[in-house]
Amino acid sequence: MTETLRPKVLIVGGGPGGYVAAIRAGQLGLDTVLVETGRLGGTCLTRGCIPSKALIHAAGLYEEAVAASGEAGRFGIRLSQPPSLRFDETMSWKDGIVDRLSGGVSGLLRKAKVKVVTGWATFSDAKTCIVETADGRISIQAEHVVLATGSTPVELPFLPFGGRVISSTDALSLTEVPATLAVVGGGYIGLELGIAFAKLGSKVTIVEAQDRILPLYDSRLTEPVSRWLAKHDVDVHLGARALGQDDAGLLIQTADGSEPVIVPADRILVTVGRKPLTEGWGLEQMGLAMEGRFVKIDDRCATSTTQVWAIGDLVGEPMLAHKASAQGEMVAEIIAGHRRRFDPVAIAAVCFTEPEIVSVGLTPDQAPEGVETIVGQFPFQANGRALSMEAGDDGGFVRVLARKSDHRILSLQAVGRHVSELAGEFSTLMEMGAVLEDVAGVIHVHPTLGEAVHESALKALGHALHI
């Protein structure tokens, strides 16, 4: 027997876009059903953002302990013997964080009176789907449908996932640290995980097809990361192509065009991008217009089919959790009758590399043609808080780009340890339409890394105080 549900709102996907949309819809009194085939929280919470940051944090602590056990010690701290790493316990701790957060999402959905259906949704038309659950088949016929199916890792045909070849999801489920790790792709996912495993003791090699790592960022931001890789014996092959694998490891073609080289690899981590999850749930039955590989939407996240909405990775770049959440909240409010549209000035992005990178808005190289700009850059080597936690000598800085005519801020970037925490201030300044004088007039707390934001604005105005 098939149970039938007829909610006001059906949301497909329980990631940061879908579950936020469901919570907000429930808060607004809308009868809401959320369908999720896996654990609540989606890629970000269960197999991406959160577990990777937990692993990165643990790797950093282990690296510090190893350094403290050396002859010179660290800050006067000397360990009598090298630390031991029980990686299974590290992963159990990481899993505990995921469990706690996923359970928290479940509790928030219950509080908002959202019905959660666990299973895979398959649509027969734009408003009707069947979900095969452990307890039987459920038919859902909704007035509004919100698609939040997310994305999946891109698989290379000559390096299919399985065995030694792993995705980022697989890397976060390893039971032991690989002695040798080859990372195919020098973007943020590959570098975040590659650096973490290097700290944990892996011999890591990065293979990137373009001529520099993190190609979406300008070279001034990525130079400190490149220096860290070189200092910590991480081999980087730029302009190189992965060709396949053999018994010894990963076969690559280097930039000089010489004979293929074998990179020793117990594991081969493929991180060449992500693609929207458009297959297997009946997209072709819904009559949706597409824009390349993404579902086409307008500035309200409405698709070409009436009362069908799409959010998050499914609808295009940037494929970021916080974008999906903002869109999900907005769509729920639109369905409830509010007037909303998605028109952010800019969306900040963070690389949790060593050191970290945060960027919002245009880089100096992307300034509009014919617009004269000014740049203010302040180094962390002149910031007391950075020096007090050994974060001042890795080449890090804060940079602001502004229009010369009216001092309107066009972008902010930073590279350095812990700079991800500046992302909120950067986004706020962009959204409020701040000018350099606004930042210069804000008293920033001492001693904090945020003082470098203040100093960068003063530098652009021509009177930095501490350099």
Side-chain angles (χ1 to χ4, degrees), residues 164-246:
R164 281 189 306 176
V165 182
I166 60 175
S167 68
S168 56
T169 299
D170 301 323
L172 293 167
S173 301
L174 292 175
T175 57
E176 59 183 22
V177 176
T180 53
L181 175 68
V183 180
V184 180
Y188 77 94
I189 296 175
L191 285 178
E192 285 183 5
L193 292 175
I195 288 172
F197 278 104
K199 290 180 177 182
L200 291 169
S202 294
K203 170 56 182 172
V204 176
T205 301
I206 308 290
V207 179
E208 168 57 46
Q210 298 197 43
D211 60 1
R212 58 190 180 90
I213 60 169
L214 298 169
L216 295 180
Y217 297 89
D218 67 79
S219 59
R220 284 155 290 188
L221 284 173
T222 61
E223 281 172 5
V225 180
S226 294
R227 285 198 291 271
W228 189 94
L229 295 171
K231 182 179 178 181
H232 291 80
D233 198 29
V234 175
D235 295 330
V236 180
H237 295 277
L238 300 175
R241 292 186 301 114
L243 302 176
Q245 61 174 317
D246 66 10

Side-chain angles (χ1 to χ4, degrees), residues 383-386 388-389 444-451:
N383 175 269
R385 180 58 179 144
S388 72
M389 55 183 180
H444 285 70
V445 174
H446 176 77
T448 64
L449 296 180
E451 291 176 278

Side-chain angles (χ1 to χ4, degrees), residues 305-316:
T305 299
T306 303
Q307 295 182 341
V308 175
W309 316 80
I311 61 176
D313 290 0
L314 186 61
V315 302

Side-chain angles (χ1 to χ4, degrees), residues 8-72:
K8 173 81 171 182
V9 183
L10 165 63
I11 299 168
V12 181
Y19 85 71
V20 167
I23 290 170
R24 186 65 182 125
Q27 289 175 341
L28 292 166
L30 304 176
D31 179 20
T32 303
V33 171
L34 172 66
V35 177
E36 168 57 51
T37 188
R39 300 183 66 185
L40 291 170
T43 294
C44 175
L45 195 155
T46 65
R47 53 192 180 274
C49 309
I50 298 302
S52 67
K53 302 314 166 284
L55 183 64
I56 287 167
H57 176 67
L61 292 178
Y62 179 69
E63 180 192 34
E64 292 285 350
V66 170
S69 67
E71 188 174 330

Side-chain angles (χ1 to χ4, degrees), residues 358-360 399-401 409-414 426 429-430 453:
V358 58
S359 178
V360 58
R399 182 178 69 196
V400 60
L401 175 73
I409 294 174
L410 302 177
S411 71
L412 295 115
Q413 288 93 28
F426 286 4
L429 292 172
M430 292 291 292
V453 183

Side-chain angles (χ1 to χ4, degrees), residues 141-152:
Q141 301 170 11
E143 185 178 335
H144 291 265
V145 172
V146 182
L147 299 172
T149 57
S151 61
T152 59

